[in-house]
Amino acid sequence: MVFTLKKYITLLTLLFLTFAVKAQEDEVTFEMAVSKDKLGLNERLRVDFTMNRDGDNFNPPDFAGFRVVMGPAQSIRNSWTNGVRSYSKSYSYTLMPTERGTFTIGQASIVVAGKTYKSLTKNIEVNAAVEDPNAPPSAASIADDNLHLVAEVSNNNPYLNEAVSVVYKLYVSNSIRVTNFRPIDSPKYNNFWSQDMPVQQYSAQEGTFQGKPYQYVILKRIVLYPQKTGKLAIEPLSLDVSVEVPTSRRDFFGRPLYTSTNKTVSAGSRTLNVKELPLAGKPENFGGAVGTFDFTVTTSKKALNASESLQASVKVSGAGNLKLFQLPEPILPSALEVYEPEFDESIKTTIAGMQGSVKNNYTIVPSYKGKYPIPSINFSYFDPKAEKYVSLASKEILINVIEGPTDGNASNNSATPSNRQEVVSTGNQFKFIKLKTTLKPKEDTYFFGSTGYLLWLLLPLILIPLAILFGKKREAIRGDIEGNKVKKANKLSRKYLSAAKKTLGEKEAFYVALEKALHNYLKAKLKIETSEFSKDKISLLLKEKQVNQSTTDGFMALLKNCEMARYSPFSNVQMQQDYNTASEVISSMDKQL
């Protein structure tokens, strides 16, 4: 029984190997390979036609533009690995170009088992003669041919304030290896509002470049909103790349040995042709919004009593330049007291652009009883896909004030009771004509015994203790070096915050003043020196002081904006928002500290 089972297993194994070999033999490949696709007029080109099955009637192509120097040289290779046969047969030619230009090596054909197989064509570019055609290609030239940095732009002809994405890709041929890279010249996006999209992890992906298989890595992604029309240049990104390229030498196992070199690659300058927004059909209330949006106006309540408050929200949501336009303002009746709006945004920036919402929250307090309408508010934007303007209007909202005083104008028209009183004689109506009076002099000329005399007498007794206490206090203040530093930093913080407000609209001056204000505020509250500033330490100290996370995040975001302002353009709207945020964050942090 055991012997029969072993024979059965052996038979199955032989059948499986037979079918595997048969399947492998049935798959015929016939390919053409060239030593290079670019060469000089005085260089040679090797062309190999390789097949995995023996065939007949090999028919080479017409090598137009080339002269056959050698060939065909035929070679056959047979090998067995784990019982599997491997077969390879090739025909090799050595060619010499006859003129400059781009030439196509046509299809070769072979007949295998009665069927005809053909190879694919190859394009070869022949350039001017090189100095040393017999010298092997250098590592730098190999890196040149197999390493490319490309900037892919989503839209070369956008409208003003329309989102444009730029993706920087490094293409690497399978014949070389990249070991390291570092940026040596980062582009500055002048005349653009820009948002960098950090790449979390560099991972290689399969792709093609100029029709050839390559691997590529996404190095940098950025979203741009052009702020000017006309031709705007995007500066190139340049990298220093460490590359390993194969040499003609082989190791013990026949594998090529690699040599290292450094190569500088650049994505090249790109130019965008930014179009003006059309004048035809442009609404009068157009505020610069470009994208696709929804517009709503809502209130927290529609019926209340006088002196109670309600919230009115003016909100724009959708996809577009959400940070680069002003929201429309409501026009309210004078009987409604309106406070400065609180700006709120919830925006997520992706490679496609900004998405989310922005809104202004108004606090409204009615003073009198009555019904007050909030008129319809209009909002217009330009849709770059439809290439037209869209106008949206909110519905009119009626606020009903149920209890409270009536309007002052109305009360003046109502009847009021008489407040007149009868005149009663006191008998003193003729007092002014008396012959004798009891008048006294207006100024007393006697100083001795007067109030002033007593004050001057007691003043030294009061001032001497005060002077002693003041002197001690002053000496204590002078000796408190740490306290003086805190006071000075606090004073400088208020000074620079005021300077930032005065320089709104001047990006560099504004963010320099704002950064100094934030740093001096930290000195005053956390008692740290400028040399100790780091984002991690600041976050840790604020956490130890039990400052809530949202306030800490707001403060760190302001510091980041101050740093980014040196390299990125910031709009007046963004500067105003950063100033408002700084005032709110400092106020909130004061309460918590």
Side-chain angles (χ1 to χ4, degrees):
M1 181 66 182
V2 174
F3 178 75
T4 306
L5 181 59
K6 286 184 177 180
K7 288 180 61 180
Y8 180 75
I9 293 173
T10 303
L11 180 61
L12 286 178
T13 303
L14 290 174
L15 288 174
F16 176 78
L17 292 175
T18 303
F19 283 117
V21 172
K22 183 65 176 175
Q24 185 178 8
E25 291 179 352
D26 289 341
E27 184 180 353
V28 178
T29 60
F30 180 53
E31 298 174 342
M32 175 175 62
V34 296
S35 58
K36 59 180 73 176
D37 54 5
K38 292 181 182 179
L39 69 157
L41 188 61
N42 57 342
E43 291 184 283
R44 296 187 177 189
L45 176 69
R46 174 170 174 165
V47 182
D48 297 315
F49 300 93
T50 306
M51 63 208 76
N52 67 340
R53 294 279 302 279
D54 192 11
D56 301 311
N57 299 326
F58 170 73
N59 186 22
D62 180 15
F63 299 107
F66 295 88
R67 175 171 55 87
V68 178
V69 178
M70 186 183 301
Q74 181 176 323
S75 63
I76 298 175
R77 187 169 69 96
N78 259 312
S79 64
W80 289 85
T81 305
N82 296 329
V84 179
R85 177 175 176 262
S86 176
Y87 175 87
S88 175
K89 181 178 182 180
S90 64
Y91 295 89
S92 301
Y93 291 84
T94 302
L95 308 179
M96 193 78 175
T98 57
E99 58 182 329
R100 294 175 60 179
T102 301
F103 304 97
T104 301
I105 298 179
Q107 293 178 316
S109 62
I110 189 77
V111 177
V112 178
K115 292 182 64 176
T116 301
Y117 296 88
K118 295 184 178 181
S119 63
L120 298 176
T121 61
K122 292 279 187 181
N123 290 329
I124 306 297
E125 182 180 346
V126 180
N127 299 312
V130 297
E131 293 181 1
D132 187 3
N134 296 319
S138 64
S141 65
I142 294 174
D144 278 338
D145 295 337
N146 296 276
L147 190 67
H148 309 278
L149 181 61
V150 178
E152 296 183 356
V153 180
S154 64
N155 187 359
N156 290 306
N157 195 27
Y159 280 100
L160 182 70
N161 263 316
E162 182 183 1
V164 177
S165 65
V166 182
V167 180
Y168 295 91
K169 295 181 179 180
L170 182 65
Y171 284 89
V172 183
S173 171
N174 295 325
S175 59
I176 65 172
R177 304 169 183 168
V178 171
T179 58
N180 193 18
F181 62 86
R182 64 179 182 88
I184 56 176
D185 188 13
S186 296
K188 298 178 179 62
Y189 303 100
N190 297 323
N191 302 317
F192 293 93
W193 183 95
S194 61
Q195 177 69 55
D196 193 10
M197 308 294 296
V199 179
Q200 301 297 333
Q201 184 177 3
Y202 299 116
S203 57
Q205 304 178 50
E206 298 293 334
T208 59
F209 182 78
Q210 295 180 348
K212 300 177 184 177
Y214 272 77
Q215 288 188 331
Y216 70 88
V217 176
I218 296 177
L219 301 180
K220 184 180 179 68
R221 300 178 301 170
I222 195 157
V223 178
L224 305 176
Y225 285 86
Q227 302 298 293
K228 286 178 62 177
T229 58
K231 294 187 180 299
L232 302 182
I234 300 177
E235 296 179 358
L237 171 67
S238 299
L239 300 176
D240 179 39
V241 185
S242 300
V243 188
E244 290 185 351
V245 299
T247 65
S248 58
R249 295 179 295 123
R250 295 289 187 271
D251 63 7
F252 178 79
F253 299 101
R255 295 172 298 190
L257 297 175
Y258 285 78
T259 183
S260 299
T261 185
N262 278 63
K263 178 65 182 171
T264 300
V265 291
S266 175
S269 179
R270 301 295 297 271
T271 301
L272 302 186
N273 184 24
V274 182
K275 299 179 289 188
E276 292 259 13
L277 297 180
L279 296 176
K282 185 176 182 178
E284 292 183 2
N285 65 333
F286 177 68
V290 177
T292 306
F293 303 103
D294 291 324
F295 178 64
T296 57
V297 178
T298 57
T299 57
S300 60
K301 58 181 78 171
K302 295 183 180 179
L304 71 165
N305 296 328
S307 299
E308 293 182 354
S309 65
L310 63 90
Q311 298 289 325
S313 174
V314 179
K315 180 179 179 181
V316 173
S317 58
N321 60 335
L322 288 164
K323 294 184 179 181
L324 303 175
F325 62 82
Q326 294 280 7
L327 290 170
E329 297 181 359
I331 300 174
L332 302 176
S334 59
L336 300 178
E337 186 178 357
V338 184
Y339 293 89
E340 285 294 322
E342 295 181 3
F343 182 77
D344 183 28
E345 68 176 34
S346 176
I347 300 174
K348 179 182 179 182
T349 305
T350 65
I351 195 63
M354 288 184 273
Q355 298 176 355
S357 64
V358 292
K359 64 180 177 179
N360 275 335
N361 295 318
Y362 294 85
T363 299
I364 301 174
V365 180
S367 302
Y368 303 104
K369 177 181 178 181
K371 294 184 179 181
Y372 302 98
I374 298 180
S376 173
I377 305 175
N378 293 320
F379 172 72
S380 301
Y381 66 89
F382 179 74
D383 188 343
K385 294 181 179 178
E387 297 187 335
K388 67 176 183 179
Y389 292 94
V390 179
S391 294
L392 304 175
S394 66
K395 294 182 180 180
E396 182 181 278
I397 301 174
L398 187 64
I399 304 300
N400 185 16
V401 182
I402 303 171
E403 298 290 341
T406 57
D407 196 340
N409 294 331
S411 64
N412 290 338
N413 297 328
S414 60
T416 57
S418 176
N419 293 326
R420 294 182 180 179
Q421 296 180 356
E422 293 184 2
V423 178
V424 179
S425 176
T426 62
N428 296 326
Q429 61 267 34
F430 300 108
K431 187 176 182 180
F432 67 96
I433 60 173
K434 284 186 175 182
L435 297 177
K436 294 182 179 181
T437 66
T438 57
L439 298 176
K440 293 182 178 180
K442 185 176 181 182
E443 294 182 359
D444 193 355
T445 57
Y446 295 99
F447 176 72
F448 184 78
S450 64
T451 303
Y453 170 79
L454 295 175
L455 288 175
W456 280 107
L457 184 64
L458 297 175
L459 188 60
L461 300 177
I462 299 173
L463 290 179
I464 289 173
L466 290 177
I468 295 173
L469 290 175
F470 177 76
K472 290 184 177 180
K473 183 68 175 177
R474 189 174 181 182
E475 288 298 326
I477 292 173
R478 287 180 179 176
D480 186 9
I481 298 175
E482 189 68 26
N484 289 335
K485 286 184 179 180
V486 170
K487 290 180 181 178
K488 184 179 179 181
N490 206 2
K491 184 177 179 181
L492 287 174
S493 175
R494 293 193 299 270
K495 173 185 173 183
Y496 285 121
L497 193 61
S498 176
K501 185 176 182 180
K502 294 177 182 178
T503 55
L504 278 170
E506 303 174 18
K507 185 192 76 172
E508 292 185 5
F510 170 79
Y511 279 104
V512 167
L514 184 60
E515 187 175 25
K516 288 181 178 179
L518 297 176
H519 283 183
N520 281 285
Y521 180 80
L522 289 178
K523 286 183 182 179
K525 295 300 180 182
L526 303 182
K527 299 180 181 179
I528 61 175
E529 297 297 331
T530 305
S531 59
E532 299 176 319
F533 281 166
S534 70
K535 291 185 175 63
D536 293 337
K537 182 166 184 178
I538 292 170
S539 299
L540 181 61
L541 289 175
L542 291 177
K543 186 176 181 180
E544 291 176 356
K545 296 288 185 179
Q546 296 183 350
V547 176
N548 63 47
Q549 191 61 37
S550 62
T551 304
T552 301
D553 292 343
F555 195 90
M556 302 308 295
L558 284 172
L559 289 177
K560 183 178 180 182
N561 282 359
C562 291
E563 295 174 359
M564 290 177 59
R566 302 171 187 167
Y567 313 104
S568 304
F570 276 64
S571 66
N572 292 345
V573 176
Q574 181 65 36
M575 282 187 269
Q576 182 64 53
Q577 293 173 5
D578 284 342
Y579 176 78
N580 294 339
T581 303
S583 301
E584 294 171 3
V585 167
I586 288 175
S587 176
S588 175
M589 201 175 289
D590 272 336
K591 295 176 182 177
Q592 298 177 51
L593 291 175

